[in-house]
Amino acid sequence: MGTNTMLKTKSLEPSLARPAEILLVEDSPGDVRLMQEALKEGKVANRVHVVGDGVEAMAFLRRQGDFADVPRPDLILLDLNLPKKDGREVLAELKADDDLRRIPVVVLTTSRAEEDILKAYDLHANCYMTKPVDLGQFLNLVKEIEEYWLLMVRLPQE
Amino acid sequence: MTRLDTPLGDTEERLGQIIAFLPDPTMVVDRSGTIIAWNRAMEDLTGRSADEMVGQGDHAYALPFYGERRPVLVDVAMGAAPEAEQQYEALSRHGETVTAEVTLPGFRPGGAILWCKAAPLRDSQGRIVGAIESIRDVTEPRRARQRLQQSETEKRTILDAALEHVILQDRAMRIVWANTSAAESAGMSRDDLIGRHCYEIWGRRSDACPGCPVLPAIETDRPHECEQTTPDGRVWYLRGYPIKGPDGAVTGAVEMTREITGQKRREQALADSEARYRSLTDDVLDSSAVGIFILDAGFKVVWVNRSLERYFGLRREEIIGQDKRTLIRERIKHTFENPDRFADKVLATYDDNTYIENFLCHVLPSGDREDRWLEHWSQPIRSGLYAGGRIEHYTDVTDRVRAEENLKTFKDALENSTDAIGISTPQGVHYYQNETFTRMFGDIGNDPPSTIYVDHKVGREVFDAITSGQEWSGEVEMNGKDGNALSILLRAYPVKREGRTIAVVGVHTDITARKRAEAALAEKADELARSNADLQEFAYVASHDLQEPLRMVSSYVQLLEKRYADALDGEAREFIGYAAGGAKRMQTLINDLLQYSRVGTRGKPFAPTDCEALLEEVLSNLEVAITEAGARVTHDPLPRIMADEAQLARVFQNLVGNALKYCDGPPEIHVSAERRGGQWAFRVRDNGIGIDPDQRERIFVVFRRLHRQNEYSGTGVGLAISKRIVERHGGRIRVESEPGAGSTFIFTIPDRKDPSDGNEHDAEDEES
């Protein structure tokens, strides 16, 4: 499934000399598409890498198998309900990984369940967001995630 | 007539004639002792004729009297035979005349007493020429006098021998005679008593004693009597009898006096004894609570005491002296509950008066007679005045019988208890079990109670705990009658008397069925827990999995609208609008449903909650809506209660929110609270459109709306959630309303005690 899509971005205040690498872990094609649409409208040039399940996500991050040449993502957008290995396991694994744990992880899910929110933060998610049903709100949210994590916050350099 | 050859001459002749005429037997002798005259009376006395006797000498005149010749009184008169005086009694002389009496045992059969008188005859020169003797037969008078004297002596002897004092007194009460007893009593000789007064000797006084019977006897000529106590303390019985003279006039009196000091003492002693006896019967036996019948040998009633009168409703005057058997048959037996049994039992004791009878009988009430239980106890009287009789006691045992009845009631209660009750001695000898016990465990005889335990060891432990004075309660397994194991809730305890365990009681409740029910209930609870977990799962599904496709629908419809708006015609845009609206609405429904399901599962523990502050917060959240509606919201002081603050806020928010929503003018909303019966009743009153009475229950059902969507917005879950919250707090919610007249929502929250601060409520209670 390793769809690797290069997206054209309009860079206003690039903090990176290169386009931002975003790993989207999402199994719903509808959501993938919506997210891509939303990120297209973003201020930061970015490349979105999409994986459809947790196993692929970890393979991507560890550059295993087909993912040997993939870049290290600057931001991970993680859905919780995933086939094979769900988002919580992915979160737990990568936050337990000395190398990967500093990559900001935004949990982006439809769940408003309190236990999911608690669990996500317990596993050191960097933030937890619920996908709005309204399209406008969704687009705004993605825009703000992008601006916040890619422009506003300072992240450690590689 | 005999001619004398003496110088008497014709004198002699005349003398002879005179002598012959004398009525007394008379003879004349001459100096030589020859009989010269023997008159007719002498012939009659002696049976010897004058012819035979005259002329005889040599004491021939003695022959008819003495049967021999001897000198007689004529010889004495002539002075010729002084020795002859010896044979006479009471010989006396008057001049030359000698008189004497002589007793002649052989003169007649039975003897005779003759009175003789003799005198010498002298001639003119005074020479004794002869003598004359007259004889009178005084045998009868003398004998009569002797008899009289004998009688007199006897009477005096009797009087002297009498213990009574006999004192003969003259009219002046001077003592004329007194008997030996009187003299001895006075300590004086009989002669010394004569001429003195009895009052001076015995009464030590100078005139007659008061009440003296002698004086009135003399005065009235009738006997009198009296009792006197002399100064020395002796008591006397005195009688005075008048004595009359030959002319019938009273000459004096005889006083008979008897000392009765001893008798008086005996009388007093008798009176004392009687008083004691009376006291025994009247004061002691009469006051006894035991009713007593005393029967003599003929079973006649001798005596009954007061208790008996009261118990039987009898009066002793009516029954004393009566035959008890007749009394029983005619009266007494009807006093009792079972008359014939009573009569048979008691009458049998009279037929065979040898044994002790003892039985219980029941007196029926009637008139003054009370309902009473009596214990009959009787036995033969073996000695004394009433030997052969019978004494019967009736003891009032009403209290005891009532106590026994009570005991029986308690025992019945015990018998009928649905708990199995067994009692054993502290040594473990089982001796009582009620019916339930028998039904539950069967008859265990005298086996130790530990035998009914499935585990005998547990039974012994329990038993040891109780005998050491402790109570024991808990669940144990016991063997049922049919061999099945029963779950028993056992409460066992010692019964103590004066600190000593005298019995061990076990109360067994069969909780086998309850345990089974509990197990079933636990299973239900598990099911419920599973179902709750399912609900949680649903909640999760609702929050995530249901929203996911919904969001797809919503997002892409919007994206379509956004990106292709220009390419679509008006109708297509309308359709897209409905689709987007539906998706949005569905999302709201899902959210509401989620919240509804979370009331129970996401609740927080109750904590002290300041309702007033909470309401202020809710109102500030609703500020926009309040302003938009132009509403006025007021409230009374609200209490501090134990509640889930977030949930309670939601209730206020829903109710105030509803009031803001369902109105057709500027809303007037008032919130108040009132403590009533351990609960706080909160009221949220509005002036809105009101609710039809038919709809009042419906509004609390989830998703049940009363209005079309275009009239009033909302999913209809707010009141359902409020209801769940209130119910979770243990309260109720309802609405009072009339269409067009506004609504008042009333919900109650129990006034729970704040575990962190116990004083606050106490103080509040004191104020109210």
Side-chain angles (χ1 to χ4, degrees):
Chain A
M1 287 257 259
T3 318
N4 200 343
T5 313
M6 179 83 173
L7 295 169
K8 181 194 75 84
T9 60
K10 185 168 69 179
S11 179
L12 290 178
E13 272 182 78
S15 64
L16 296 167
R18 53 174 176 81
E21 306 289 347
I22 297 172
L23 176 61
L24 175 63
V25 189
E26 174 63 82
D27 67 325
S28 159
D31 267 315
V32 171
R33 180 63 199 268
L34 265 184
M35 186 59 77
Q36 286 171 336
E37 289 295 326
L39 288 172
K40 248 195 279 187
E41 296 177 9
K43 292 178 177 169
V44 183
N46 60 60
R47 286 199 297 177
V48 180
H49 308 272
V50 179
V51 290
D53 61 54
V55 175
E56 277 193 8
M58 290 316 295
F60 184 96
L61 289 167
R62 290 187 172 138
R63 293 174 180 140
Q64 290 165 342
D66 294 346
F67 302 109
D69 299 325
V70 297
R72 174 188 169 92
D74 298 302
L75 180 67
I76 301 169
L77 300 177
L78 179 66
D79 188 17
L80 286 181
N81 286 358
L82 297 169
K84 293 182 185 171
K85 183 179 275 184
D86 80 2
R88 297 164 198 83
E89 290 170 275
V90 172
L91 190 59
E93 269 187 51
L94 74 87
K95 285 299 179 188
D97 187 308
D98 289 344
D99 182 37
L100 302 175
R101 66 159 62 117
R102 286 192 294 273
I103 304 170
V105 178
V106 173
V107 174
L108 202 56
T109 175
T110 41
S111 172
R112 292 159 173 257
E114 188 75 15
E115 58 266 37
D116 281 344
I117 296 167
L118 284 174
K119 180 80 178 167
Y121 284 110
D122 283 349
L123 294 172
H124 308 292
N126 296 76
C127 84
Y128 184 103
M129 305 206 123
T130 305
K131 296 172 190 167
V133 173
D134 181 76
L135 181 68
Q137 286 176 19
F138 180 77
L139 296 176
N140 266 336
L141 179 73
V142 174
K143 202 168 121 198
E144 291 192 4
I145 290 171
E146 188 193 30
E147 282 183 20
Y148 181 79
W149 288 106
L150 298 180
L151 294 176
M152 293 170 75
V153 301
R154 275 210 90 77
L155 295 168
Q157 297 296 313
E158 291 290 321
Chain B
M1 197 83 250
T2 305
R3 213 166 267 236
L4 295 174
D5 278 342
T6 61
L8 277 175
D10 7 315
T11 308
E12 200 174 309
E13 186 75 19
R14 284 197 302 274
L15 186 65
Q17 288 171 354
I18 293 165
I19 287 169
F21 276 101
L22 288 174
D24 289 330
T26 305
M27 70 171 180
V28 180
V29 296
D30 66 13
R31 187 77 181 89
S32 65
T34 303
I35 301 167
I36 54 176
W38 189 265
N39 73 354
R40 196 165 303 273
M42 191 62 110
E43 287 179 326
D44 293 342
L45 179 66
T46 61
R48 304 283 175 95
S49 68
D51 291 343
E52 181 190 342
M53 293 304 288
V54 171
Q56 291 211 43
D58 192 15
H59 305 297
Y61 40 75
L63 285 167
F65 298 100
Y66 296 100
E68 62 176 353
R69 296 173 187 275
R70 59 185 292 181
V72 297
L73 201 62
V74 283
D75 300 295
V76 173
M78 285 188 293
E83 73 282 355
E85 286 183 27
Q86 299 305 316
Q87 66 201 46
Y88 293 96
E89 305 156 22
L91 185 137
S92 65
R93 295 172 194 273
H94 297 279
E96 289 189 312
T97 304
V98 185
T99 57
E101 282 185 18
V102 64
T103 302
L104 300 173
F107 180 65
R108 272 199 309 255
I113 299 167
L114 302 178
W115 180 83
C116 312
K117 188 176 185 181
L121 297 171
R122 291 179 186 269
D123 63 12
S124 51
Q125 282 85 45
R127 289 173 300 182
I128 291 173
V129 292
I132 182 167
E133 182 176 345
S134 253
I135 296 168
R136 198 175 290 166
D137 184 353
V138 295
T139 307
E140 277 316 303
R142 286 295 174 271
R143 292 253 165 94
R145 202 178 69 193
Q146 277 172 2
R147 282 199 298 275
L148 191 68
Q149 279 174 348
Q150 177 65 27
S151 164
E152 187 82 353
T153 306
E154 282 170 4
K155 281 176 187 159
R156 293 215 173 191
T157 306
I158 289 169
L159 287 177
D160 273 343
L163 289 170
E164 293 196 339
H165 304 172
V166 181
I167 304 163
L168 194 62
Q169 300 170 35
D170 64 14
R171 285 191 65 93
M173 294 181 70
R174 279 189 299 264
I175 296 173
V176 177
W177 184 85
N179 71 350
T180 315
S181 286
E184 283 173 359
S185 167
M188 295 167 77
S189 76
R190 204 191 297 236
D191 290 340
D192 289 342
L193 287 173
I194 308 297
R196 301 184 65 176
H197 297 91
C198 70
Y199 50 77
E200 62 184 83
I201 294 167
W202 282 278
R204 302 191 202 290
R205 45 191 297 143
S206 55
D207 54 359
C209 304
C212 174
V214 177
L215 217 51
I218 292 169
E219 284 170 2
T220 63
D221 189 14
R222 275 201 304 275
H224 279 76
E225 60 181 17
C226 78
E227 278 183 25
Q228 293 279 344
T229 303
T230 47
D232 57 10
R234 291 192 288 176
V235 186
W236 306 87
Y237 173 66
L238 293 83
R239 287 157 87 189
Y241 292 90
I243 297 175
K244 293 180 198 171
D247 57 353
V250 175
T251 58
V254 63
E255 183 182 1
M256 313 272 286
T257 305
R258 179 154 47 105
E259 187 181 348
I260 54 169
T261 312
Q263 183 188 334
K264 277 284 160 191
R265 274 197 204 113
R266 281 191 298 280
E267 277 175 12
Q268 188 58 47
L270 195 65
D272 289 350
S273 156
E274 198 173 297
R276 273 200 299 279
Y277 168 76
R278 207 167 285 286
S279 178
L280 191 66
T281 54
D282 293 358
D283 303 335
V284 181
L285 294 181
D286 247 359
S287 65
S288 167
V290 177
I292 300 169
F293 259 117
I294 295 172
L295 310 178
D296 65 14
F299 304 112
K300 286 195 165 46
V301 178
V302 174
W303 188 74
V304 297
N305 70 349
R306 293 246 174 265
S307 291
L308 190 113
E309 288 182 297
R310 198 167 72 248
Y311 294 170
F312 280 57
L314 292 171
R315 293 171 57 79
R316 63 176 84 165
E317 306 86 83
E318 299 167 357
I319 58 168
I320 285 177
Q322 307 253 353
D323 188 311
K324 179 78 190 304
R325 289 165 293 201
T326 312
L327 278 174
I328 287 175
R329 288 193 193 98
E330 292 177 359
R331 288 188 66 177
I332 291 174
K333 73 172 191 177
H334 303 294
T335 308
F336 292 92
E337 183 178 26
N338 195 338
D340 292 332
R341 174 178 166 272
F342 178 85
D344 290 349
K345 273 189 170 301
V346 180
L347 291 173
T349 67
Y350 305 147
D351 295 340
D352 175 18
N353 186 20
T354 57
Y355 61 96
I356 289 173
E357 178 59 283
N358 184 208
F359 64 90
L360 200 62
C361 43
H362 185 197
V363 173
L364 300 173
S366 167
D368 289 343
R369 195 175 66 216
E370 289 176 32
D371 185 294
R372 207 183 288 274
W373 283 91
L374 297 176
E375 185 178 358
H376 169 104
W377 191 92
S378 64
Q379 67 168 21
I381 300 172
R382 302 199 189 278
S383 60
L385 200 53
Y386 303 117
R390 206 165 167 86
I391 183 162
E392 297 170 347
H393 304 254
Y394 289 91
T395 310
D396 184 351
V397 292
T398 310
D399 289 348
R400 194 189 80 199
V401 170
R402 298 263 181 277
E404 280 167 1
E405 282 172 356
N406 278 342
L407 204 63
K408 192 175 174 305
T409 308
F410 291 140
K411 204 176 165 191
D412 282 353
L414 215 61
E415 275 300 320
N416 294 313
S417 167
T418 53
D419 286 333
I421 297 165
I423 306 177
S424 69
T425 67
Q427 290 73 38
V429 179
H430 175 82
Y431 63 88
Y432 172 79
Q433 58 181 56
N434 68 355
E435 284 177 20
T436 309
F437 190 105
T438 308
R439 261 202 313 282
M440 224 179 264
F441 305 111
D443 187 349
I444 67 165
N446 289 126
D447 287 354
S450 58
T451 53
I452 59 173
Y453 288 72
V454 168
D455 184 347
H456 290 195
K457 205 167 119 258
V458 173
R460 278 192 297 275
E461 279 168 19
V462 170
F463 193 79
D464 289 347
I466 300 156
T467 46
S468 73
Q470 298 161 23
E471 292 195 7
W472 196 94
S473 58
E475 279 185 36
V476 289
E477 292 281 303
M478 289 185 170
N479 291 315
K481 185 173 60 176
D482 307 322
N484 48 326
L486 300 175
S487 291
I488 298 294
L489 182 64
L490 172 67
R491 184 172 167 254
Y493 54 89
V495 177
K496 295 182 189 171
R497 191 134 311 149
E498 288 160 5
R500 203 167 51 84
T501 299
I502 57 164
V504 173
V505 178
V507 180
H508 310 73
T509 311
D510 184 357
I511 54 167
T512 312
R514 193 198 300 171
K515 291 279 277 185
R516 224 175 273 141
E518 273 171 12
L521 203 66
E523 210 168 297
K524 282 262 158 57
D526 281 352
E527 269 175 34
L528 203 64
R530 271 199 300 279
S531 130
N532 246 1
D534 291 350
L535 193 66
Q536 292 218 48
E537 184 62 27
F538 160 77
Y540 188 80
V541 167
S543 71
H544 185 273
D545 294 358
L546 281 182
Q547 299 218 45
E548 197 66 43
L550 180 63
R551 204 165 51 77
M552 285 302 103
V553 172
S554 169
S555 297
Y556 282 98
V557 166
Q558 286 177 61
L559 197 57
L560 203 60
E561 188 182 27
K562 181 182 172 177
R563 208 165 284 177
Y564 303 101
D566 297 341
L568 296 172
D569 61 8
E571 200 173 30
R573 279 199 298 277
E574 191 190 341
F575 291 171
I576 286 172
Y578 287 139
K584 198 176 228 168
R585 186 165 161 65
M586 182 157 175
Q587 206 217 349
T588 314
L589 284 173
I590 288 170
N591 280 338
D592 285 351
L593 191 59
L594 195 59
Q595 280 179 11
Y596 180 75
S597 75
R598 282 176 171 177
V599 169
T601 58
R602 294 304 159 88
K604 293 193 170 54
F606 300 153
T609 302
D610 182 346
C611 295
E612 194 149 332
L614 194 66
L615 182 67
E616 296 291 357
E617 201 179 308
V618 166
L619 294 181
S620 85
N621 286 343
L622 290 168
E623 200 178 342
V624 176
I626 290 169
T627 311
E628 277 176 5
R632 200 163 73 88
V633 183
T634 56
H635 65 83
D636 287 346
L638 299 178
R640 198 174 142 85
I641 62 170
M642 292 297 290
D644 178 337
E645 187 173 313
Q647 290 190 341
L648 189 60
R650 195 169 180 100
V651 173
F652 279 128
Q653 181 144 357
N654 285 344
L655 296 180
V656 175
N658 275 355
L660 290 171
K661 205 188 289 177
Y662 300 103
C663 57
D664 47 11
E668 298 276 339
I669 301 166
H670 184 75
V671 181
S672 62
E674 180 186 15
R675 194 170 183 280
R676 191 186 289 167
Q679 295 206 321
W680 283 103
F682 291 88
R683 304 169 87 88
V684 179
R685 194 185 69 221
D686 66 43
N687 60 342
I689 58 173
I691 298 160
D692 193 290
D694 296 345
Q695 306 293 339
R696 277 181 209 153
E697 290 302 317
R698 227 176 146 236
I699 57 171
F700 294 106
V701 179
V702 71
F703 297 142
R704 205 57 64 88
R705 303 184 79 253
L706 302 184
H707 305 280
R708 288 195 303 276
Q709 276 199 35
N710 51 1
E711 285 179 323
Y712 298 99
S713 60
T715 57
V717 82
L719 286 176
I721 288 173
S722 297
K723 184 165 185 267
R724 276 202 88 179
I725 290 171
V726 169
E727 284 172 355
R728 184 191 163 227
H729 282 74
R732 305 291 295 270
I733 188 166
R734 65 193 167 88
V735 65
E736 289 175 358
S737 179
E738 288 299 327
S743 306
T744 302
F745 280 87
I746 300 137
F747 69 91
T748 57
I749 304 284
D751 190 9
R752 291 186 178 81
K753 207 171 175 151
D754 179 355
S756 66
D757 183 6
N759 297 329
E760 194 176 318
H761 285 270
D762 293 347
E764 199 174 282
D765 284 348
E766 278 166 25
E767 281 166 24
S768 61

